[in-house]
Amino acid sequence: MSKDFWENRWENNQIGWDLGEVSPPIKAFIDQLNNKKSFILVPGCGNAYEAEYLFENGFQNTYIVEIADAAIQSFKKRYPQFPAAHIIHGDFFDLDRKFDLIIEQTFFCAIPPAQRLDYVKKVKSILNPKGKLVGLLFNRFFVKGPPYGGTVAEYESYFEKDFEIQIMEPAKNSIEPRDGSELFIKLQLK
């Protein structure tokens, strides 16, 4: 999907994926994190509720990347105290920084399935040794996307070569409309 596609979605308020809050499974994960010095990325962040929550809870090395300027402006307006230097307006696939943790919330399911291996390669290239990818993937299919869904077997085929799959199971605390259709993942770079 192009920058124009996402810009158009934001400008026309076609952001049905936006929960208006931190996704409960991701919030529960963040709540058990201890290393406040970790470098954390939230890619395709949209309104970046997860980044806001991380920052509010002392994770000062939290970064976001988003291709749509309208999303960036929405986040800046809603949460002006987030450091401007940690807001990356650009393409995730162009990043050249390193992170300890990547929080996956709606980004993987937003990119066309043909780009999923590119996503895995990019995540591998920007994670520090033993870095983690944690978040949610859809465990279902959609008539047309985005979002694009998939299955556990499909996701394992993408990640198992380069990541230790520590958790890939149905999320226990999804919001009601997504209950039973989300997988919580915790993958560590080998």
Side-chain angles (χ1 to χ4, degrees), residues 8-189:
N8 185 54
R9 294 284 297 259
W10 276 92
E11 289 171 1
N12 292 299
N13 200 32
Q14 295 174 328
I15 55 172
W17 62 83
D18 190 298
L19 302 181
E21 64 183 333
V22 179
S23 177
I26 294 175
K27 182 181 182 295
F29 172 77
I30 293 168
D31 287 345
Q32 56 83 43
L33 289 176
N34 295 320
N35 186 355
K36 304 282 183 174
K37 295 182 180 184
S38 293
F39 281 80
I40 303 171
L41 175 69
V42 182
C45 63
N47 273 312
Y49 302 107
E50 288 74 16
E52 176 183 352
Y53 188 73
L54 283 158
F55 195 75
E56 287 289 317
N57 283 281
F59 295 91
Q60 302 296 303
N61 295 317
T62 299
Y63 290 77
I64 61 173
V65 62
E66 173 61 55
I67 201 166
D69 184 59
I72 294 287
Q73 296 312 316
S74 174
F75 176 69
K76 285 180 175 179
K77 182 177 180 182
R78 189 177 55 73
Y79 193 64
Q81 55 272 50
F82 197 82
H86 293 208
I87 299 172
I88 304 165
H89 179 208
D91 190 329
F92 165 78
F93 293 99
D94 294 335
L95 284 177
D96 62 358
R97 299 174 188 225
K98 291 284 193 176
F99 300 93
D100 302 304
L101 172 64
I102 296 175
I103 300 289
E104 174 52 54
Q105 168 61 5
T106 74
F107 182 60
F108 182 86
C109 68
I111 60 174
Q115 284 188 284
R116 287 181 170 176
L117 286 175
D118 294 333
Y119 170 97
V120 174
K121 288 177 191 170
K122 189 62 183 181
V123 167
K124 179 183 174 189
S125 76
I126 63 173
L127 276 176
N128 285 319
K130 301 295 182 185
K132 291 181 176 69
L133 172 66
V134 176
L136 297 166
L137 303 177
F138 278 115
N139 189 25
R140 61 168 286 202
F141 290 100
F142 297 89
V143 175
K144 64 175 206 156
Y148 302 99
T151 65
V152 169
E154 176 189 354
Y155 301 142
E156 286 176 342
S157 74
Y158 295 137
F159 292 105
E160 64 190 354
K161 178 181 173 232
D162 298 309
F163 291 84
E164 175 191 341
I165 300 173
Q166 296 177 331
I167 300 172
M168 187 178 287
E169 62 189 35
K172 296 173 178 62
N173 52 350
S174 297
I175 63 166
E176 192 170 316
R178 296 182 185 175
D179 190 31
S181 65
E182 289 183 317
L183 291 171
F184 181 78
I185 62 165
K186 182 179 176 188
L187 314 177
Q188 182 171 324
L189 190 62

